[in-house]
Amino acid sequence: MTANSPSSHHTPVVVVGAGPAGLTVGNILRAASVDCVVLETESREFIERRPRAGVIEEWAVRGLQRRGLAHHLTERAQRHSACEFRFGGERYRFSYTEVTGHHHWVYPQPLLVTDLVHSYVEVRGGDARFSVRDVELHDLDTARPTVSYTCQDTGERQVLTCDFVVGADGARGVGRTALTPERARIARHDYGIGWLALLAEAAPSADCVLFGVHPNGFAGHMARSPEMTRYYLQCPPGDDPENWSDDRIWSELHQRLGASDGPPLTEGPLIEKRVLDMHDYVVEPMTYGRLFLAGDSAHLVAPIAAKGLNLALHDAFLLGDSLVAYLDGGDGAGLDSYSETCLRRVWDYQEFSQWLSEVYHGTAAGDPFRAGTTFARLRRLFTSPTAAAAFAEQYLGTAEHY
Ligand code: RFL
C-alpha cells in the first residue's frame, strides 16, 4: 500500500503508543494546535487500568504542571519525604526531604494515564485510535514517512503520511525494532536477578518506601494508594509465579522486611503476581531519520530505582516542545540535540540503578566479600552527610545538570 491509496491521510505527527510518553507528547502538540494521531494497540479501558509505576519525581510533576497536565495529580497524589532501609533486623530511615528540601510524589500510573488520555481526547480534541493492529513504519529516512496499521472495527489497512513519527510504544513495540544495528547501537545489561512483582489490596504498612536487605534476598514495599500497596520479592530470573503461594509470599515479606520495632505488615489479597527479569537497555542514538523514540522504547531501566516513568516524561517534554518549535517556527535545534540531551539523564539514572541494585542484592549473593561491601555502602549513607546528599540527589533526580 502507498501513501496515495484511498485510505491514506496526512497528519504532521504520528505518535505510536499511548503510554505516559506518547500521551504527554500528544498533549503538548495539541496544546500548540499541532495535529497528530496517537495509535495504540490496546483498548482505552485496558491502558487506564494497567498497573505499573507510582513514584514520580518532583521535577517531572513540575513539568506536567507547566503543561497543564497535573491538575488531578497534585490534588490526589501523596508526597513522600523519606525511605527506609531494613537490614540486620533494624530500621534505618533516610529522610531525603531533610537533606534536599525535595520530595517524591506517589501517584499510580493508571491514574496518570487516565488523566493524560482525558486531557488529550476530551479537553484538547486529540485523535487517538485504540485497539489498532499490525502497526508498521515506512520511509523513515525520507521527509514524508508513513505509518500503516489495521483498524480493529473495519479490518481495513490504513495509512498515515506524516512529517514525524514518535516511537513511544514501549519495550516491545515497533519503534525500537526500526532502529536496527546499522541504525543505532543497543547497549544491554542483565542483572541476572528476578523480582516477583506483587500488588496487594492492602493499606500501606509504612508512610514511606521500604527496602528490605536480607540474606534471603531483597524485598520492597511501595505505597500506591491508601488501599493498594506494591511489594517486590527478589527471586531467580525466569521463576514461575506459580511457585509462590500467597502464604509463602507473606512469610518471605514478613521476614525480609521485618524489624524489631517495626509494625507488622498489613496483608491483603494479591491481585497481581508476575516475575520481572531485571535488565536494562539503551538505544543510542534515540532517533533515525524522522523517527524519534521516547520512553521505554529507547531505554529500559529495571524498576530498581523507580526511574522508568520519570525518564519517559523527561523525553516527552523535550520531544513535544522540540516538535512544536520545529513545526510552528522552523527551529530544529531541539530536535537536533534531543537524543544527546535525553541520554545524559538516561545514563545517569542507569548508573544509579546499578549502584542501588548492589545495595539491594549484594548481601544475598552468597559471597561474603559482596556482603561486606554492601553493608559498607549502607553504613556510609547513615554516617556521611556527603554520601547522604549524593544519594538523595540521585534518588530524587535533582542534579542541576546532567
Ligand atoms: P509504556 O507505558 O509501555 O507505553 C507504551 C504503549 O505502547 C503500546 N504499544 C503499541 N502501540 C501501538 N503500536 C504498537 N506496535 C505498540 N506496541 C506497544 C502499549 O500497549 C503501551 O500502551 O511506555 P512509556 O510511555 O515509555 O512509559 C514507560 C513507563 O510505563 C515505564 O517506564 C514504567 O512503568 C516503569 N516502572 C516504574 N517507573 C517509575 O518511574 N517508577 C516506578 O515506581 C516504576 N515501577 C515500572 C514500575 C514498571 C513495571 N513493569 C510492569 C515493567 C513497576 C513495574 C511492575
Side-chain angles (χ1 to χ4, degrees), residues 16-23 39-42 46-47 50-56 109 113 132 135 168-175 197 222 224 230 232 272 274 276 294-297 299-301 303 305-312:
V16 186
L23 290 166
L39 296 177
E40 167 61 51
T41 45
E42 302 290 351
F46 181 86
I47 63 163
R50 181 171 47 198
R52 279 197 177 172
V55 177
I56 313 185
Q109 187 166 327
V113 167
V132 302
V135 177
D169 48 352
R172 286 181 206 87
V174 294
M222 281 133 213
R224 283 295 182 256
R230 187 173 273 298
Y232 293 113
E272 190 191 56
R274 51 191 292 219
L276 306 175
D296 277 12
S297 66
H299 37 73
L300 192 74
V301 47
K307 295 295 192 187
L309 172 60
N310 294 288
L311 288 175

Side-chain angles (χ1 to χ4, degrees), residues 163-194:
D163 302 313
F164 292 97
V165 180
V166 173
D169 48 352
R172 286 181 206 87
V174 294
R176 185 167 70 87
T177 47
L179 275 111
T180 54
E182 306 80 56
R183 296 172 175 176
R185 184 189 71 177
I186 302 193
R188 297 175 194 279
H189 177 67
D190 188 348
Y191 289 94
I193 280 167

Side-chain angles (χ1 to χ4, degrees), residues 106-123:
V106 174
Y107 193 58
Q109 187 166 327
L111 293 187
L112 178 66
V113 167
T114 302
D115 295 348
L116 292 172
V117 177
H118 173 72
S119 167
Y120 176 71
V121 175
E122 275 86 35
V123 181

Side-chain angles (χ1 to χ4, degrees), residues 273-295:
K273 224 189 249 189
R274 51 191 292 219
V275 171
L276 306 175
D277 290 345
M278 297 287 113
H279 63 103
D280 305 322
Y281 63 74
V282 179
V283 179
E284 210 162 358
M286 292 165 52
T287 63
Y288 171 71
R290 290 295 182 103
L291 170 68
F292 288 75
L293 299 188

Side-chain angles (χ1 to χ4, degrees), residues 15-85:
V15 178
V16 186
L23 290 166
T24 302
V25 172
N27 269 291
I28 294 172
L29 295 174
R30 288 303 306 139
S33 301
V34 172
D35 279 332
C36 60
V37 174
V38 173
L39 296 177
E40 167 61 51
T41 45
E42 302 290 351
S43 68
R44 179 168 178 174
E45 296 68 37
F46 181 86
I47 63 163
E48 289 183 346
R49 285 204 210 110
R50 181 171 47 198
R52 279 197 177 172
V55 177
I56 313 185
E57 297 177 353
E58 219 181 67
W59 61 265
V61 172
R62 272 199 307 276
L64 289 167
Q65 265 174 321
R66 269 202 299 279
R67 293 164 181 87
L69 298 171
H71 185 64
H72 283 137
L73 187 159
T74 48
E75 259 176 19
R76 295 190 236 153
Q78 302 163 31
R79 283 165 186 244
H80 278 203
S81 57
C83 57
E84 191 172 296
F85 290 90

